[in-house]
Each structure stands twice: as structure tokens, then as C-alpha cells.
């Protein structure tokens, strides 16, 4: 019961508004899941391509090209790997630019939902919607880690492996004049971190996930403190 008299419109009826709200929720839920699966599929495809590129780089640096035709083939393979590497780097940049706004919106909504749900769960543990809110919080965290953090971390790991392969290879044994310029290009470009991010504000990796969890609990403590002060005053 409200302390004020409120206006109740004669139309539309409540059951129609309830169906409209349920339909809107289902459509938004399906759209969000479709977006998560789409982004995760694109990133994992890039991860697989980068893994194949690392395999080719490792094979090139360990190859022995002594004859002229072998050196010609090695030179062609080096050119293909350089072009492939540049393509993957530019492709990741385009993915970040394309999904800039949805990723920002998703991160802000997830961060807000985590803070609110944890606050409500802790302070209203005896209410009837406890299991429902806890399930929603677990699903949101599972979605965030499965579709964003883990694929982003795999992408960064594969991009960093290329420099490790260059360092651990026996490139100095054969065809040094061909491999050395290739190594210089790879090492210089590999120093730039390749990450999946949300508008260059947040990188999707385990370190960012740890910082987000710390921020969520920090804001929860802030909300809890403000709530205790309000209850004390009243």
C-alpha cells in the first residue's frame, strides 16, 4: 500500500503490460546472448588463426634453406607470415572499433548489476527472491568470464607466444640473412599488446577481471556504509 493515491490508467490493462514486459525481456535476453556468442566466435576464430601463424613462424625459424630454390621458398613463406601477422593485428583493431559501444554498454551494465545484486543479496537474505537474485548474479558472472575474459586472455596469450617462439628458435643456424629481418619485424610489432578491449578503457583479460572484482566489492562496501548511516539517522 502506498501512502499516496496514484492514478491508474484504464487502458492498457495490467495483463497486457505484463505480457509486453515479458516479451521485451525475452527479446533483449536473446539479443544479448546472440551478441555474446557472436563476439566470442569472432575472437576464438582469431585465436585459432594466430595459433596457426605461430606454428608457421616456428617452422620458418627452424627450417634449413641451403639451396637457391629453398631460399626462394623460405623468402616467400616469410613474406606470407609478415602479411598474415599484419592482417591479424589490423583485424583485432577493427573488431575493437566495431564493438566499441556494445562492449562499453555491456561492461557498465554488468558492473552496475554486480554491485546492486550483491548489495541486495547480503542485506535481504531472508526475502523470497534470494535464490532468484543469486542465480542471476552467477549467470552474469559466468557470461562475463566465458564470453569476454577467457577469449580475450587467449587472444593475448597467442599474440605473446610469437615473440617467445622467436627467442627459443635456432634461427642463427641457417639462412640468417633472410630470418634476421623477419625477426626484427616480428619482435618490434609483438611488443605492442594485442588485446580485446572496450573502447581502450578496459582490456578483457584476467588482470582486468581481478580489478573489476575489487571495484565491485569496493562499491558494495560504499553502498553498505551509506545504507548503515541512513538507517542510523532514521
Amino acid at each position: 500500500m502506498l501512502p499516496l493515491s496514484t492514478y491508474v490508467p484504464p487502458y492498457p490493462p495490467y495483463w497486457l503490460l505484463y505480457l509486453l514486459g515479458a516479451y521485451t525481456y525475452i527479446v533483449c535476453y536473446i539479443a544479448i546472448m546472440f551478441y555474446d556468442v557472436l563476439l566470442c566466435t569472432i575472437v576464438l576464430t582469431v585465436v585459432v588463426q594466430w595459433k596457426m601463424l605461430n606454428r608457421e613462424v616456428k617452422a620458418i625459424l627452424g627450417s634449413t634453406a641451403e639451396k637457391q630454390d629453398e631460399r626462394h621458398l623460405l623468402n616467400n613463406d616469410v613474406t606470407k607470415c609478415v602479411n598474415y601477422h599484419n592482417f591479424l593485428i589490423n583485424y583485432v583493431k577493427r573488431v575493437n572499433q566495431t564493438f566499441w559501444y556494445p562492449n562499453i554498454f555491456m561492461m557498465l551494465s554488468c558492473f552496475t548489476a554486480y554491485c546492486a545484486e550483491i548489495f541486495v543479496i547480503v542485506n535481504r537474505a531472508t526475502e523470497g527472491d534470494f535464490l532468484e537474485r543469486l542465480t542471476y548474479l552467477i549467470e552474469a558472472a559466468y557470461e562475463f568470464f566465458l564470453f569476454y575474459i577467457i577469449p580475450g586472455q587467449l587472444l593475448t596469450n597467442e599474440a605473446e607466444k610469437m615473440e617467445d617462439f622467436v627467442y627459443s628458435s635456432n634461427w642463427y643456424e641457417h639462412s640468417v640473412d633472410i630470418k634476421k629481418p623477419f625477426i626484427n619485424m616480428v619482435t618490434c610489432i609483438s611488443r605492442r599488446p594485442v588485446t580485446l578491449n572496450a573502447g581502450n578503457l578496459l582490456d578483457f583479460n584476467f588482470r582486468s577481471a581481478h580489478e573489476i572484482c575489487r571495484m565491485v566489492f569496493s562499491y558494495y562496501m560504499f553502498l553498505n556504509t551509506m545504507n548503515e548511516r541512513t538507517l542510523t539517522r532514521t
Side-chain angles (χ1 to χ4, degrees):
M1 299 296 296
L2 298 177
L4 301 176
S5 60
T6 59
Y7 171 74
V8 179
Y11 186 83
Y14 176 76
W15 63 269
L16 181 60
L17 294 177
Y18 180 81
L19 291 178
L20 180 62
Y23 175 77
T24 305
Y25 173 79
I26 293 174
V27 171
C28 293
Y29 182 79
I30 294 176
I32 292 174
M33 289 301 298
F34 174 78
Y35 173 78
D36 293 339
V37 174
L38 175 63
L39 180 61
C40 181
T41 303
I42 292 176
V43 175
L44 291 181
T45 303
V46 178
V47 171
V48 173
Q49 295 295 321
W50 218 299
K51 186 180 291 290
M52 295 172 62
L53 175 62
N54 288 334
R55 189 176 301 174
E56 292 294 329
V57 170
K58 188 175 182 180
I60 287 175
L61 295 177
S63 62
T64 58
E66 299 177 355
K67 299 180 181 180
Q68 188 63 29
D69 55 347
E70 294 178 350
R71 289 174 58 86
H72 180 70
L73 293 176
L74 178 61
N75 194 12
N76 291 336
D77 292 338
V78 167
T79 304
K80 292 179 182 179
C81 285
V82 171
N83 294 331
Y84 198 14
H85 191 201
N86 292 330
F87 169 77
L88 290 179
I89 292 175
N90 293 328
Y91 189 80
V92 173
K93 291 181 180 179
R94 292 181 181 180
V95 170
N96 290 328
Q97 293 174 358
T98 303
F99 296 99
W100 192 90
Y101 291 104
N103 286 343
I104 288 292
F105 174 77
M106 289 293 295
M107 293 306 100
L108 291 178
S109 61
C110 290
F111 180 78
T112 306
Y114 294 159
C115 294
E117 294 299 329
I118 292 176
F119 178 78
V120 173
I121 288 173
V122 174
N123 291 276
R124 294 173 54 189
T126 59
E127 295 292 333
D129 58 348
F130 171 75
L131 293 178
E132 180 179 353
R133 292 182 177 274
L134 182 62
T135 303
Y136 172 73
L137 181 62
I138 294 175
E139 289 180 354
Y142 175 78
E143 174 188 1
F144 178 65
F145 277 90
L146 181 63
F147 293 103
Y148 293 91
I149 296 299
I150 295 179
Q153 185 64 51
L154 290 176
L155 176 63
T156 303
N157 292 342
E158 289 300 325
E160 293 176 351
K161 282 183 181 179
M162 180 174 291
E163 192 170 4
D164 296 335
F165 287 156
V166 171
Y167 179 79
S168 59
S169 64
N170 298 328
W171 60 271
Y172 46 84
E173 293 183 354
H174 303 278
S175 305
V176 179
D177 56 335
I178 299 177
K179 297 178 181 179
K180 189 173 182 179
F182 174 64
I183 291 173
N184 292 332
M185 288 186 290
V186 168
T187 52
C188 290
I189 296 177
S190 298
R191 292 173 185 174
R192 305 173 185 175
V194 179
T195 58
L196 179 68
N197 57 61
N200 292 326
L201 299 177
L202 175 68
D203 295 333
F204 295 112
N205 50 39
F206 292 150
R207 180 178 298 178
S208 298
H210 178 258
E211 294 177 357
I212 289 175
C213 292
R214 292 180 59 185
M215 290 179 62
V216 166
F217 283 100
S218 297
Y219 277 101
Y220 158 72
M221 295 301 297
F222 171 76
L223 291 176
N224 195 29
T225 303
M226 295 299 296
N227 184 51
E228 291 179 354
R229 290 182 179 178
T230 303
L231 294 176
T232 303
R233 293 178 180 178
T234 55

